[in-house]
């Protein structure tokens, strides 16, 4: 969506099926019947017969869970890119002792990321200024014409974004070190000469002013330390003495002289040199070093008798002096304007920086090299964090209902689903509103109990419960039905063969994803408010991936398997505007939603509800499962189970398969054997040519 277009347009509805009782008795047969229609949409909704109402079997009093925390605007891919960008700019200013403040333009917050991107697309800052095209930049950001908004955007860009972009490009490391000495250069860097107009202010955490802390020890011994430590006392110096390499006299005060306070001249520094054998020698320094040290020590505000020393090992005389000169101009004069970086101990004159600083900043300050290293650090992989509070169903429901009622200022069941949907997408697209919700997702039914009645020895079932416990639509039963492929896998794969439970609240979301091994999935909403779904058919799966990678390359560069992590949304309107077909539906209590192989799906909850989901695989899935394994191999992604082992196990026991499944397994087995022969032949040819078999990757 373009900046400023906040209205969400709901996609078309997915197919909805209402089977008769006769059709409903054969779950997988019915799904196969509707597949030609439903798989074109990727998802579909099934309404069971009205009197099919399974009892809720969870022991409510014993059900306790810890939800995930979801910050809504971090979920949407494009919004996350913007937030990451803002984080980088904020870090850029923070490590220089400032805090970022984003300006408002025309009563809405300025989108710094979009501003930066548009400036690049329009040819860059210099080109836009030269051609006076800032009005076009304002137009592309959907600001109204007139009102001189272009000039305002230029001002904000110069003050906030341009310095950051300069650091990112590395231009600051090779720039003119004395911009005020050259009129032409002064013009070129003029945007950086206006710190008083910047919208970022110095940090208030540290009140001390920074001078060139060139000789400050780390840590600094005090007089008390010297009295207590005989070794330090031996090294204490009174009066003149020879200069030794590596040990410098330290003023106790953290700053060098201030202009209104001159300290007495001190004798030259005593230094120590450690030779390669580890012995410490006393040496005299050259006259130049003696004079420079004398000049530096004359800046000390305290007498020499109160000075201490620090050992500087393995440094030559030149290195010792060079470490106290400006890295830009290689001069050590005007020391009251010389800054020491808190990151690497390099020194810089405040007037040699880009932008030049008018005075010594307060708080922590980092040099251009450290700033760039910090800002270029790749972002950490995005994921959800767990809440710290454990809930029961009752306590979570009370929290969820209270949140929704307060948010919309009306009773929870009176809030229209259309309103919740528009508000959800407005929030995930917002960079200024941070709304946080909680979602009880991927709760293991094996541990907490299924919402459906289950036939086991733990409790006696009533005849009604027994009927639902054996129903093919019971999500504990469907994966292991005779026509299901997964019944031939012995292990209980949580989430695939064994259902997972989901406790939702308003705005809690599940992000775009396809199922493991491109299997089917089925979701049943036991009770509560609706769940809104979006689906994309399998034929458009690669198109969706291409669009998301094209629009947010920054996310996929740092996390190539992002769509496998179930942590990223993208607005359906954005996908549709790029040609991706998307459908939607509201799943109400008592309804099923089916997702088809390799169909991307996502959605969110309208309010407090309880759902259950599981995977299943039928005979028609086998070709998709094989293609998925090839896809995983290219991505070097681990499989949940061995597809080849599954095929071999079914082929070894054909009497256990129905006719349809047996025919599908025979075809897959033939393809698998042919591929194995091809790979073995290729391997033998490589070995016969003298190549190492270990070096050969098919």
């Amino acid at each position: 969506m373009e900046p400023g277009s906040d209205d969400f347009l709901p996609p078309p509805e997915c197919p909805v099926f209402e089977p008769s009782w006769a059709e409903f008795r054969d779950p997988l047969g019915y799904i196969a019947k509707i597949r030609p229609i439903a798989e074109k949409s990727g998802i579909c909704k099934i309404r069971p017969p009205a009197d099919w109402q399974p009892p809720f079997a969870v022991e409510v009093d014993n059900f306790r869970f810890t939800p995930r925390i979801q910050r809504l605007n971090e979920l949407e891919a494009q919004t996350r890119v913007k937030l990451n960008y803002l984080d980088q700019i904020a870090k850029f200013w923070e490590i220089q002792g400032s805090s970022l403040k984003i300006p408002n333009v025309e009563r809405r917050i300025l989108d710094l990321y979009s501003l930066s991107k548009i400036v690049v697309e329009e040819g860059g800052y210099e080109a836009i200024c030269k051609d006076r095209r800032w009005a076009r930049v304002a137009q592309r950001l959907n600001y109204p014409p007139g009102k001189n908004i272009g000039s305002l955007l230029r001002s904000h860009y110069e003050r906030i974004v341009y310095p950051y972009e300069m650091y990112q490009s590395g231009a600051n490391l090779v720039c003119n070190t004395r911009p005020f000495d050259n009129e032409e250069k002064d013009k070129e860097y003029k945007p950086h000469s206006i710190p008083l107009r910047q919208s970022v202010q110095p940090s208030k955490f540290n009140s001390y002013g920074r001078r060139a802390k060139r000789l400050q020890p780390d840590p600094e011994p005090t007089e008390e330390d010297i009295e207590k430590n005989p070794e330090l006392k031996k090294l204490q110096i009174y009066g003149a003495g020879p200069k030794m390499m590596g040990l410098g006299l330290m003023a106790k005060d953290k700053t060098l002289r201030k202009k209104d306070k001159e300290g007495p001249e001190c004798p030259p520094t005593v230094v120590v040199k450690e030779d390669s054998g580890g012995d410490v020698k006393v040496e005299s320094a050259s006259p130049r070093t003696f004079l420079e040290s004398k000049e530096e020590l004359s800046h000390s505000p305290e007498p020499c008798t109160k000075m201490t020393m620090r050992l500087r090992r393995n440094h030559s005389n030149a290195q010792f002096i060079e470490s106290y000169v400006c890295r830009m101009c290689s001069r050590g004069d005007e020391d009251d304007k010389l800054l020491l970086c808190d990151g690497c101990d390099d020194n810089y004159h405040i007037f040699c920086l880009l932008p030049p600083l008018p005075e010594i900043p307060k708080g922590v300050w980092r040099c251009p090299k450290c700033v760039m290293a910090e800002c270029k650090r790749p972002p950490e992989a995005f994921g959800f964090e767990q809440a710290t509070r454990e809930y029961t169903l009752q306590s979570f429901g009370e929290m969820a209902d209270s949140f929704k009622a307060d948010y919309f200022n009306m009773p929870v069941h009176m809030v229209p689903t259309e309103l919740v949907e528009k508000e959800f997408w407005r929030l995930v697209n917002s960079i200024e509103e941070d709304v946080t919700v909680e979602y009880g997702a991927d709760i293991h039914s094996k541990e907490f109990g299924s919402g459906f009645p289950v036939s086991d020895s733990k409790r006696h079932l009533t005849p009604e419960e027994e009927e639902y416990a054996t129903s093919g639509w019971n999500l504990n039963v469907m994966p292991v039905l005779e026509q299901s492929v997964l019944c031939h896998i012995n292990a209980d794969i949580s989430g695939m063969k064994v259902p997972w439970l989901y406790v939702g609240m308003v705005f809690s979301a599940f992000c775009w994803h396809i199922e493991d091994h491109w299997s089917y999935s089925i979701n049943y909403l036991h009770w509560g408010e609706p769940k809104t779904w979006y689906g994309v058919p399998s034929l458009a799966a690669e198109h969706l991936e291409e669009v998301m990678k094209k629009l947010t390359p920054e996310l996929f560069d740092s996390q190539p398997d992002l769509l496998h992590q179930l942590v990223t949304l993208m607005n359906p309107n954005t996908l549709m505007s790029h040609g991706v077909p998307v459908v939607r539906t509201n799943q109400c209590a008592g309804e099923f939603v089916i997702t088809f192989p390799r169909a991307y799906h996502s959605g969110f909850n309208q309010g407090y509800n309880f759902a259950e989901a599981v995977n299943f695989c039928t005979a028609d899935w086998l070709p998709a499962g094989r293609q998925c394994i090839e896809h995983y191999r290219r991505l070097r992604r681990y499989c949940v189970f061995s597809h080849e082992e599954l095929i071999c196990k079914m082929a070894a026991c054909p009497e256990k398969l129905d006719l349809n499944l047996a025919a599908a397994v025979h075809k897959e087995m033939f393809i698998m054997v042919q591929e194995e022969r091809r790979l073995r032949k290729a391997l033998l040819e490589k070995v016969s040519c003298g190549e190492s078999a270990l070096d050969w990757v098919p």
Side-chain angles (χ1 to χ4, degrees), residues 641-659:
F641 59 84
S642 170
H643 185 84
E644 290 85 355
E645 180 185 2
L646 175 62
I647 298 296
C648 291
K649 284 186 69 175
M650 290 190 291
C653 305
E655 69 280 358
K656 294 182 180 180
L657 312 178
D658 66 21
L659 189 59

Side-chain angles (χ1 to χ4, degrees), residues 509-568:
F510 52 104
C511 299
W512 286 113
H513 68 286
I514 46 182
E515 299 300 316
D516 287 332
H517 289 257
W518 298 356
S519 59
Y520 286 83
S521 78
I522 181 167
N523 183 291
Y524 182 73
L525 190 62
H526 285 280
W527 47 259
E529 297 190 64
K531 188 186 293 282
T532 299
W533 289 74
Y534 304 98
V536 172
S538 61
L539 291 175
E542 291 184 4
H543 189 22
L544 177 144
E545 294 167 1
E546 290 167 2
V547 170
M548 291 188 71
K549 289 175 182 177
K550 176 185 174 183
L551 295 179
T552 57
E554 302 92 335
L555 298 183
F556 289 89
D557 288 345
S558 60
Q559 205 171 352
D561 62 343
L562 183 65
L563 287 172
H564 293 149
Q565 306 305 317
L566 285 75
V567 293
T568 306

